[in-house]
PDB file of all heavy atoms in Angstrom:
ATOM      1  N   ALA A 154     249.505 121.655 122.062  1.00  0.00           N
ATOM      2  CA  ALA A 154     249.712 120.255 122.442  1.00  0.00           C
ATOM      3  C   ALA A 154     249.497 120.042 123.944  1.00  0.00           C
ATOM      4  O   ALA A 154     249.175 118.949 124.379  1.00  0.00           O
ATOM      5  CB  ALA A 154     251.111 119.807 122.055  1.00  0.00           C
ATOM      6  N   GLN A 155     249.657 121.102 124.745  1.00  0.00           N
ATOM      7  CA  GLN A 155     249.477 120.978 126.181  1.00  0.00           C
ATOM      8  C   GLN A 155     248.014 121.028 126.605  1.00  0.00           C
ATOM      9  O   GLN A 155     247.679 120.607 127.692  1.00  0.00           O
ATOM     10  CB  GLN A 155     250.224 122.093 126.901  1.00  0.00           C
ATOM     11  CG  GLN A 155     251.724 121.974 126.819  1.00  0.00           C
ATOM     12  CD  GLN A 155     252.402 123.152 127.483  1.00  0.00           C
ATOM     13  OE1 GLN A 155     251.833 124.236 127.571  1.00  0.00           O
ATOM     14  NE2 GLN A 155     253.627 122.946 127.940  1.00  0.00           N
ATOM     15  N   LEU A 156     247.180 121.557 125.756  1.00  0.00           N
ATOM     16  CA  LEU A 156     245.767 121.648 126.098  1.00  0.00           C
ATOM     17  C   LEU A 156     245.126 120.276 125.987  1.00  0.00           C
ATOM     18  O   LEU A 156     245.389 119.531 125.042  1.00  0.00           O
ATOM     19  CB  LEU A 156     245.050 122.619 125.159  1.00  0.00           C
ATOM     20  CG  LEU A 156     245.489 124.078 125.240  1.00  0.00           C
ATOM     21  CD1 LEU A 156     244.777 124.889 124.168  1.00  0.00           C
ATOM     22  CD2 LEU A 156     245.192 124.636 126.612  1.00  0.00           C
ATOM     23  N   PRO A 157     244.292 119.909 126.942  1.00  0.00           N
ATOM     24  CA  PRO A 157     243.623 118.614 126.846  1.00  0.00           C
ATOM     25  C   PRO A 157     242.617 118.614 125.701  1.00  0.00           C
ATOM     26  O   PRO A 157     242.050 119.650 125.350  1.00  0.00           O
ATOM     27  CB  PRO A 157     242.919 118.464 128.200  1.00  0.00           C
ATOM     28  CG  PRO A 157     242.772 119.856 128.710  1.00  0.00           C
ATOM     29  CD  PRO A 157     243.924 120.639 128.143  1.00  0.00           C
ATOM     30  N   ALA A 158     242.422 117.453 125.138  1.00  0.00           N
ATOM     31  CA  ALA A 158     241.460 117.330 124.039  1.00  0.00           C
ATOM     32  C   ALA A 158     240.052 117.543 124.582  1.00  0.00           C
ATOM     33  O   ALA A 158     239.749 117.213 125.722  1.00  0.00           O
ATOM     34  CB  ALA A 158     241.576 115.954 123.407  1.00  0.00           C
ATOM     35  N   THR A 159     239.196 118.099 123.743  1.00  0.00           N
ATOM     36  CA  THR A 159     237.809 118.286 124.166  1.00  0.00           C
ATOM     37  C   THR A 159     237.134 116.923 124.245  1.00  0.00           C
ATOM     38  O   THR A 159     237.396 116.033 123.438  1.00  0.00           O
ATOM     39  CB  THR A 159     237.045 119.175 123.167  1.00  0.00           C
ATOM     40  OG1 THR A 159     237.156 118.609 121.864  1.00  0.00           O
ATOM     41  CG2 THR A 159     237.600 120.583 123.157  1.00  0.00           C
ATOM     42  N   PRO A 160     236.282 116.732 125.252  1.00  0.00           N
ATOM     43  CA  PRO A 160     235.654 115.426 125.410  1.00  0.00           C
ATOM     44  C   PRO A 160     234.694 115.133 124.255  1.00  0.00           C
ATOM     45  O   PRO A 160     234.047 116.035 123.717  1.00  0.00           O
ATOM     46  CB  PRO A 160     234.904 115.536 126.734  1.00  0.00           C
ATOM     47  CG  PRO A 160     234.711 116.991 126.945  1.00  0.00           C
ATOM     48  CD  PRO A 160     235.861 117.679 126.267  1.00  0.00           C
ATOM     49  N   LYS A 161     234.620 113.888 123.876  1.00  0.00           N
ATOM     50  CA  LYS A 161     233.701 113.450 122.826  1.00  0.00           C
ATOM     51  C   LYS A 161     232.490 112.799 123.484  1.00  0.00           C
ATOM     52  O   LYS A 161     232.628 111.881 124.280  1.00  0.00           O
ATOM     53  CB  LYS A 161     234.377 112.430 121.897  1.00  0.00           C
ATOM     54  CG  LYS A 161     235.647 112.939 121.240  1.00  0.00           C
ATOM     55  CD  LYS A 161     235.354 114.044 120.256  1.00  0.00           C
ATOM     56  CE  LYS A 161     236.643 114.462 119.566  1.00  0.00           C
ATOM     57  NZ  LYS A 161     236.577 115.751 119.000  1.00  0.00           N
ATOM     58  N   PHE A 162     231.340 113.307 123.169  1.00  0.00           N
ATOM     59  CA  PHE A 162     230.100 112.762 123.701  1.00  0.00           C
ATOM     60  C   PHE A 162     229.457 111.914 122.619  1.00  0.00           C
ATOM     61  O   PHE A 162     229.139 112.412 121.543  1.00  0.00           O
ATOM     62  CB  PHE A 162     229.135 113.881 124.124  1.00  0.00           C
ATOM     63  CG  PHE A 162     229.652 114.689 125.282  1.00  0.00           C
ATOM     64  CD1 PHE A 162     230.178 115.943 125.081  1.00  0.00           C
ATOM     65  CD2 PHE A 162     229.614 114.178 126.548  1.00  0.00           C
ATOM     66  CE1 PHE A 162     230.658 116.689 126.131  1.00  0.00           C
ATOM     67  CE2 PHE A 162     230.098 114.906 127.619  1.00  0.00           C
ATOM     68  CZ  PHE A 162     230.620 116.166 127.412  1.00  0.00           C
ATOM     69  N   ASP A 163     229.282 110.642 122.923  1.00  0.00           N
ATOM     70  CA  ASP A 163     228.716 109.730 121.936  1.00  0.00           C
ATOM     71  C   ASP A 163     227.415 109.150 122.472  1.00  0.00           C
ATOM     72  O   ASP A 163     227.295 107.948 122.677  1.00  0.00           O
ATOM     73  CB  ASP A 163     229.721 108.627 121.607  1.00  0.00           C
ATOM     74  CG  ASP A 163     229.288 107.811 120.394  1.00  0.00           C
ATOM     75  OD1 ASP A 163     228.524 108.347 119.572  1.00  0.00           O
ATOM     76  OD2 ASP A 163     229.700 106.651 120.295  1.00  0.00           O
ATOM     77  N   PHE A 164     226.469 110.014 122.763  1.00  0.00           N
ATOM     78  CA  PHE A 164     225.156 109.552 123.183  1.00  0.00           C
ATOM     79  C   PHE A 164     224.119 110.559 122.723  1.00  0.00           C
ATOM     80  O   PHE A 164     224.415 111.714 122.488  1.00  0.00           O
ATOM     81  CB  PHE A 164     225.087 109.355 124.702  1.00  0.00           C
ATOM     82  CG  PHE A 164     225.123 110.628 125.485  1.00  0.00           C
ATOM     83  CD1 PHE A 164     223.947 111.229 125.887  1.00  0.00           C
ATOM     84  CD2 PHE A 164     226.324 111.217 125.822  1.00  0.00           C
ATOM     85  CE1 PHE A 164     223.974 112.412 126.606  1.00  0.00           C
ATOM     86  CE2 PHE A 164     226.358 112.400 126.543  1.00  0.00           C
ATOM     87  CZ  PHE A 164     225.181 112.993 126.935  1.00  0.00           C
ATOM     88  N   SER A 165     222.919 110.068 122.598  1.00  0.00           N
ATOM     89  CA  SER A 165     221.827 110.921 122.135  1.00  0.00           C
ATOM     90  C   SER A 165     221.093 111.476 123.339  1.00  0.00           C
ATOM     91  O   SER A 165     220.611 110.724 124.193  1.00  0.00           O
ATOM     92  CB  SER A 165     220.870 110.112 121.261  1.00  0.00           C
ATOM     93  OG  SER A 165     219.722 110.863 120.980  1.00  0.00           O
ATOM     94  N   ILE A 166     221.017 112.786 123.408  1.00  0.00           N
ATOM     95  CA  ILE A 166     220.322 113.425 124.526  1.00  0.00           C
ATOM     96  C   ILE A 166     218.840 113.073 124.499  1.00  0.00           C
ATOM     97  O   ILE A 166     218.243 112.786 125.530  1.00  0.00           O
ATOM     98  CB  ILE A 166     220.538 114.948 124.480  1.00  0.00           C
ATOM     99  CG1 ILE A 166     222.012 115.262 124.700  1.00  0.00           C
ATOM    100  CG2 ILE A 166     219.670 115.665 125.501  1.00  0.00           C
ATOM    101  CD1 ILE A 166     222.384 116.700 124.505  1.00  0.00           C
ATOM    102  N   SER A 167     218.263 113.043 123.309  1.00  0.00           N
ATOM    103  CA  SER A 167     216.827 112.750 123.231  1.00  0.00           C
ATOM    104  C   SER A 167     216.536 111.311 123.642  1.00  0.00           C
ATOM    105  O   SER A 167     215.538 111.052 124.319  1.00  0.00           O
ATOM    106  CB  SER A 167     216.302 113.024 121.815  1.00  0.00           C
ATOM    107  OG  SER A 167     216.949 112.190 120.877  1.00  0.00           O
ATOM    108  N   ASN A 168     217.412 110.360 123.275  1.00  0.00           N
ATOM    109  CA  ASN A 168     217.192 108.969 123.695  1.00  0.00           C
ATOM    110  C   ASN A 168     217.326 108.829 125.206  1.00  0.00           C
ATOM    111  O   ASN A 168     216.564 108.095 125.840  1.00  0.00           O
ATOM    112  CB  ASN A 168     218.178 108.028 122.996  1.00  0.00           C
ATOM    113  CG  ASN A 168     217.825 107.825 121.539  1.00  0.00           C
ATOM    114  OD1 ASN A 168     216.725 108.133 121.104  1.00  0.00           O
ATOM    115  ND2 ASN A 168     218.786 107.322 120.779  1.00  0.00           N
ATOM    116  N   SER A 169     218.292 109.526 125.795  1.00  0.00           N
ATOM    117  CA  SER A 169     218.466 109.475 127.248  1.00  0.00           C
ATOM    118  C   SER A 169     217.254 110.076 127.948  1.00  0.00           C
ATOM    119  O   SER A 169     216.775 109.539 128.947  1.00  0.00           O
ATOM    120  CB  SER A 169     219.730 110.232 127.660  1.00  0.00           C
ATOM    121  OG  SER A 169     220.866 109.641 127.080  1.00  0.00           O
ATOM    122  N   TRP A 170     216.765 111.186 127.424  1.00  0.00           N
ATOM    123  CA  TRP A 170     215.581 111.825 128.004  1.00  0.00           C
ATOM    124  C   TRP A 170     214.380 110.885 127.902  1.00  0.00           C
ATOM    125  O   TRP A 170     213.653 110.702 128.880  1.00  0.00           O
ATOM    126  CB  TRP A 170     215.295 113.132 127.276  1.00  0.00           C
ATOM    127  CG  TRP A 170     214.012 113.769 127.706  1.00  0.00           C
ATOM    128  CD1 TRP A 170     212.810 113.684 127.096  1.00  0.00           C
ATOM    129  CD2 TRP A 170     213.806 114.567 128.868  1.00  0.00           C
ATOM    130  NE1 TRP A 170     211.860 114.386 127.779  1.00  0.00           N
ATOM    131  CE2 TRP A 170     212.444 114.941 128.889  1.00  0.00           C
ATOM    132  CE3 TRP A 170     214.628 115.003 129.888  1.00  0.00           C
ATOM    133  CZ2 TRP A 170     211.910 115.723 129.893  1.00  0.00           C
ATOM    134  CZ3 TRP A 170     214.078 115.797 130.882  1.00  0.00           C
ATOM    135  CH2 TRP A 170     212.748 116.142 130.873  1.00  0.00           C
ATOM    136  N   ASN A 171     214.187 110.283 126.730  1.00  0.00           N
ATOM    137  CA  ASN A 171     213.051 109.385 126.544  1.00  0.00           C
ATOM    138  C   ASN A 171     213.148 108.179 127.474  1.00  0.00           C
ATOM    139  O   ASN A 171     212.142 107.725 128.015  1.00  0.00           O
ATOM    140  CB  ASN A 171     212.969 108.928 125.089  1.00  0.00           C
ATOM    141  CG  ASN A 171     212.553 110.052 124.170  1.00  0.00           C
ATOM    142  OD1 ASN A 171     211.973 111.038 124.602  1.00  0.00           O
ATOM    143  ND2 ASN A 171     212.867 109.916 122.892  1.00  0.00           N
ATOM    144  N   LYS A 172     214.353 107.638 127.666  1.00  0.00           N
ATOM    145  CA  LYS A 172     214.521 106.501 128.567  1.00  0.00           C
ATOM    146  C   LYS A 172     214.149 106.902 129.987  1.00  0.00           C
ATOM    147  O   LYS A 172     213.493 106.139 130.703  1.00  0.00           O
ATOM    148  CB  LYS A 172     215.965 106.005 128.513  1.00  0.00           C
ATOM    149  CG  LYS A 172     216.200 104.783 129.354  1.00  0.00           C
ATOM    150  CD  LYS A 172     217.621 104.284 129.236  1.00  0.00           C
ATOM    151  CE  LYS A 172     217.818 103.075 130.129  1.00  0.00           C
ATOM    152  NZ  LYS A 172     219.199 102.616 130.128  1.00  0.00           N
ATOM    153  N   GLY A 173     214.560 108.095 130.410  1.00  0.00           N
ATOM    154  CA  GLY A 173     214.203 108.574 131.741  1.00  0.00           C
ATOM    155  C   GLY A 173     212.709 108.750 131.911  1.00  0.00           C
ATOM    156  O   GLY A 173     212.149 108.388 132.946  1.00  0.00           O
ATOM    157  N   VAL A 174     212.056 109.288 130.885  1.00  0.00           N
ATOM    158  CA  VAL A 174     210.596 109.467 130.949  1.00  0.00           C
ATOM    159  C   VAL A 174     209.906 108.108 131.046  1.00  0.00           C
ATOM    160  O   VAL A 174     208.992 107.917 131.854  1.00  0.00           O
ATOM    161  CB  VAL A 174     210.087 110.254 129.715  1.00  0.00           C
ATOM    162  CG1 VAL A 174     208.574 110.219 129.639  1.00  0.00           C
ATOM    163  CG2 VAL A 174     210.579 111.691 129.778  1.00  0.00           C
ATOM    164  N   HIS A 175     210.365 107.136 130.252  1.00  0.00           N
ATOM    165  CA  HIS A 175     209.769 105.796 130.309  1.00  0.00           C
ATOM    166  C   HIS A 175     209.976 105.157 131.685  1.00  0.00           C
ATOM    167  O   HIS A 175     209.060 104.520 132.226  1.00  0.00           O
ATOM    168  CB  HIS A 175     210.370 104.892 129.230  1.00  0.00           C
ATOM    169  CG  HIS A 175     209.876 105.191 127.854  1.00  0.00           C
ATOM    170  ND1 HIS A 175     208.573 104.969 127.451  1.00  0.00           N
ATOM    171  CD2 HIS A 175     210.506 105.712 126.774  1.00  0.00           C
ATOM    172  CE1 HIS A 175     208.419 105.330 126.196  1.00  0.00           C
ATOM    173  NE2 HIS A 175     209.588 105.803 125.756  1.00  0.00           N
ATOM    174  N   THR A 176     211.147 105.341 132.275  1.00  0.00           N
ATOM    175  CA  THR A 176     211.416 104.768 133.594  1.00  0.00           C
ATOM    176  C   THR A 176     210.505 105.376 134.651  1.00  0.00           C
ATOM    177  O   THR A 176     209.934 104.658 135.483  1.00  0.00           O
ATOM    178  CB  THR A 176     212.893 104.993 133.972  1.00  0.00           C
ATOM    179  OG1 THR A 176     213.729 104.411 132.968  1.00  0.00           O
ATOM    180  CG2 THR A 176     213.227 104.390 135.306  1.00  0.00           C
ATOM    181  N   VAL A 177     210.354 106.698 134.624  1.00  0.00           N
ATOM    182  CA  VAL A 177     209.497 107.371 135.599  1.00  0.00           C
ATOM    183  C   VAL A 177     208.044 106.944 135.419  1.00  0.00           C
ATOM    184  O   VAL A 177     207.341 106.642 136.387  1.00  0.00           O
ATOM    185  CB  VAL A 177     209.643 108.899 135.482  1.00  0.00           C
ATOM    186  CG1 VAL A 177     208.566 109.619 136.271  1.00  0.00           C
ATOM    187  CG2 VAL A 177     211.026 109.327 135.937  1.00  0.00           C
ATOM    188  N   MET A 178     207.567 106.898 134.180  1.00  0.00           N
ATOM    189  CA  MET A 178     206.176 106.503 133.938  1.00  0.00           C
ATOM    190  C   MET A 178     205.934 105.046 134.343  1.00  0.00           C
ATOM    191  O   MET A 178     204.874 104.709 134.867  1.00  0.00           O
ATOM    192  CB  MET A 178     205.812 106.699 132.460  1.00  0.00           C
ATOM    193  CG  MET A 178     205.719 108.149 132.049  1.00  0.00           C
ATOM    194  SD  MET A 178     204.504 109.003 133.063  1.00  0.00           S
ATOM    195  CE  MET A 178     205.313 110.544 133.305  1.00  0.00           C
ATOM    196  N   SER A 179     206.918 104.194 134.121  1.00  0.00           N
ATOM    197  CA  SER A 179     206.790 102.792 134.534  1.00  0.00           C
ATOM    198  C   SER A 179     206.674 102.698 136.049  1.00  0.00           C
ATOM    199  O   SER A 179     205.837 101.949 136.572  1.00  0.00           O
ATOM    200  CB  SER A 179     208.002 101.997 134.036  1.00  0.00           C
ATOM    201  OG  SER A 179     207.978 100.696 134.549  1.00  0.00           O
ATOM    202  N   ALA A 180     207.510 103.454 136.751  1.00  0.00           N
ATOM    203  CA  ALA A 180     207.446 103.444 138.214  1.00  0.00           C
ATOM    204  C   ALA A 180     206.112 103.986 138.710  1.00  0.00           C
ATOM    205  O   ALA A 180     205.527 103.450 139.667  1.00  0.00           O
ATOM    206  CB  ALA A 180     208.603 104.255 138.792  1.00  0.00           C
ATOM    207  N   LEU A 181     205.601 105.028 138.068  1.00  0.00           N
ATOM    208  CA  LEU A 181     204.312 105.584 138.488  1.00  0.00           C
ATOM    209  C   LEU A 181     203.155 104.642 138.183  1.00  0.00           C
ATOM    210  O   LEU A 181     202.171 104.603 138.911  1.00  0.00           O
ATOM    211  CB  LEU A 181     204.080 106.933 137.801  1.00  0.00           C
ATOM    212  CG  LEU A 181     204.956 108.082 138.277  1.00  0.00           C
ATOM    213  CD1 LEU A 181     204.702 109.323 137.449  1.00  0.00           C
ATOM    214  CD2 LEU A 181     204.736 108.371 139.749  1.00  0.00           C
ATOM    215  N   SER A 182     203.273 103.853 137.112  1.00  0.00           N
ATOM    216  CA  SER A 182     202.173 102.954 136.759  1.00  0.00           C
ATOM    217  C   SER A 182     202.043 101.793 137.737  1.00  0.00           C
ATOM    218  O   SER A 182     200.940 101.288 137.950  1.00  0.00           O
ATOM    219  CB  SER A 182     202.349 102.425 135.332  1.00  0.00           C
ATOM    220  OG  SER A 182     203.452 101.542 135.261  1.00  0.00           O
ATOM    221  N   VAL A 183     203.145 101.362 138.347  1.00  0.00           N
ATOM    222  CA  VAL A 183     203.065 100.257 139.300  1.00  0.00           C
ATOM    223  C   VAL A 183     202.943 100.755 140.740  1.00  0.00           C
ATOM    224  O   VAL A 183     202.805  99.950 141.658  1.00  0.00           O
ATOM    225  CB  VAL A 183     204.282  99.307 139.180  1.00  0.00           C
ATOM    226  CG1 VAL A 183     204.309  98.651 137.823  1.00  0.00           C
ATOM    227  CG2 VAL A 183     205.565  99.988 139.513  1.00  0.00           C
ATOM    228  N   ALA A 184     202.999 102.063 140.945  1.00  0.00           N
ATOM    229  CA  ALA A 184     202.952 102.622 142.296  1.00  0.00           C
ATOM    230  C   ALA A 184     201.684 102.245 143.064  1.00  0.00           C
ATOM    231  O   ALA A 184     201.776 101.854 144.229  1.00  0.00           O
ATOM    232  CB  ALA A 184     203.124 104.138 142.249  1.00  0.00           C
ATOM    233  N   PRO A 185     200.472 102.325 142.468  1.00  0.00           N
ATOM    234  CA  PRO A 185     199.282 101.949 143.249  1.00  0.00           C
ATOM    235  C   PRO A 185     199.309 100.488 143.696  1.00  0.00           C
ATOM    236  O   PRO A 185     198.949 100.172 144.830  1.00  0.00           O
ATOM    237  CB  PRO A 185     198.121 102.199 142.275  1.00  0.00           C
ATOM    238  CG  PRO A 185     198.642 103.205 141.312  1.00  0.00           C
ATOM    239  CD  PRO A 185     200.092 102.897 141.175  1.00  0.00           C
ATOM    240  N   THR A 186     199.762  99.591 142.822  1.00  0.00           N
ATOM    241  CA  THR A 186     199.830  98.174 143.182  1.00  0.00           C
ATOM    242  C   THR A 186     200.824  97.959 144.310  1.00  0.00           C
ATOM    243  O   THR A 186     200.550  97.244 145.277  1.00  0.00           O
ATOM    244  CB  THR A 186     200.243  97.333 141.951  1.00  0.00           C
ATOM    245  OG1 THR A 186     199.349  97.625 140.888  1.00  0.00           O
ATOM    246  CG2 THR A 186     200.220  95.867 142.255  1.00  0.00           C
ATOM    247  N   ARG A 187     201.993  98.583 144.177  1.00  0.00           N
ATOM    248  CA  ARG A 187     203.021  98.439 145.215  1.00  0.00           C
ATOM    249  C   ARG A 187     202.542  99.045 146.533  1.00  0.00           C
ATOM    250  O   ARG A 187     202.804  98.497 147.604  1.00  0.00           O
ATOM    251  CB  ARG A 187     204.314  99.115 144.779  1.00  0.00           C
ATOM    252  CG  ARG A 187     204.991  98.451 143.624  1.00  0.00           C
ATOM    253  CD  ARG A 187     205.703  97.179 144.100  1.00  0.00           C
ATOM    254  NE  ARG A 187     206.067  96.329 142.992  1.00  0.00           N
ATOM    255  CZ  ARG A 187     207.206  96.405 142.317  1.00  0.00           C
ATOM    256  NH1 ARG A 187     208.073  97.322 142.632  1.00  0.00           N
ATOM    257  NH2 ARG A 187     207.441  95.574 141.322  1.00  0.00           N
ATOM    258  N   ALA A 188     201.860 100.177 146.470  1.00  0.00           N
ATOM    259  CA  ALA A 188     201.354 100.808 147.693  1.00  0.00           C
ATOM    260  C   ALA A 188     200.367  99.891 148.392  1.00  0.00           C
ATOM    261  O   ALA A 188     200.392  99.753 149.625  1.00  0.00           O
ATOM    262  CB  ALA A 188     200.709 102.149 147.364  1.00  0.00           C
ATOM    263  N   CYS A 189     199.518  99.237 147.621  1.00  0.00           N
ATOM    264  CA  CYS A 189     198.552  98.300 148.203  1.00  0.00           C
ATOM    265  C   CYS A 189     199.276  97.120 148.846  1.00  0.00           C
ATOM    266  O   CYS A 189     198.949  96.710 149.954  1.00  0.00           O
ATOM    267  CB  CYS A 189     197.591  97.822 147.117  1.00  0.00           C
ATOM    268  SG  CYS A 189     196.291  96.749 147.731  1.00  0.00           S
ATOM    269  N   GLU A 190     200.282  96.572 148.150  1.00  0.00           N
ATOM    270  CA  GLU A 190     201.052  95.446 148.700  1.00  0.00           C
ATOM    271  C   GLU A 190     201.746  95.848 149.999  1.00  0.00           C
ATOM    272  O   GLU A 190     201.719  95.100 150.986  1.00  0.00           O
ATOM    273  CB  GLU A 190     202.097  94.977 147.696  1.00  0.00           C
ATOM    274  CG  GLU A 190     201.529  94.304 146.470  1.00  0.00           C
ATOM    275  CD  GLU A 190     202.594  94.024 145.409  1.00  0.00           C
ATOM    276  OE1 GLU A 190     203.785  94.312 145.661  1.00  0.00           O
ATOM    277  OE2 GLU A 190     202.227  93.529 144.334  1.00  0.00           O
ATOM    278  N   TYR A 191     202.350  97.011 150.015  1.00  0.00           N
ATOM    279  CA  TYR A 191     203.057  97.464 151.212  1.00  0.00           C
ATOM    280  C   TYR A 191     202.084  97.738 152.363  1.00  0.00           C
ATOM    281  O   TYR A 191     202.412  97.501 153.526  1.00  0.00           O
ATOM    282  CB  TYR A 191     203.884  98.711 150.917  1.00  0.00           C
ATOM    283  CG  TYR A 191     205.047  98.460 149.981  1.00  0.00           C
ATOM    284  CD1 TYR A 191     205.498  99.447 149.129  1.00  0.00           C
ATOM    285  CD2 TYR A 191     205.697  97.236 149.951  1.00  0.00           C
ATOM    286  CE1 TYR A 191     206.570  99.223 148.268  1.00  0.00           C
ATOM    287  CE2 TYR A 191     206.762  97.005 149.097  1.00  0.00           C
ATOM    288  CZ  TYR A 191     207.196  98.000 148.253  1.00  0.00           C
ATOM    289  OH  TYR A 191     208.247  97.781 147.411  1.00  0.00           O
ATOM    290  N   THR A 192     200.880  98.211 152.041  1.00  0.00           N
ATOM    291  CA  THR A 192     199.876  98.448 153.071  1.00  0.00           C
ATOM    292  C   THR A 192     199.449  97.141 153.709  1.00  0.00           C
ATOM    293  O   THR A 192     199.334  97.036 154.940  1.00  0.00           O
ATOM    294  CB  THR A 192     198.649  99.173 152.476  1.00  0.00           C
ATOM    295  OG1 THR A 192     199.087 100.393 151.872  1.00  0.00           O
ATOM    296  CG2 THR A 192     197.614  99.465 153.535  1.00  0.00           C
TER     297      THR A 192
END
Side-chain angles (χ1 to χ4, degrees):
Q155 291 177 334
L156 295 175
T159 55
K161 303 293 183 201
F162 294 104
D163 191 24
F164 70 95
S165 171
I166 295 173
S167 62
N168 286 344
S169 299
W170 173 263
N171 290 339
K172 183 178 178 184
V174 169
H175 285 292
T176 303
V177 168
M178 290 302 141
S179 173
L181 289 176
S182 69
V183 297
T186 306
R187 293 284 165 89
C189 184
E190 291 172 3
Y191 293 149
T192 303

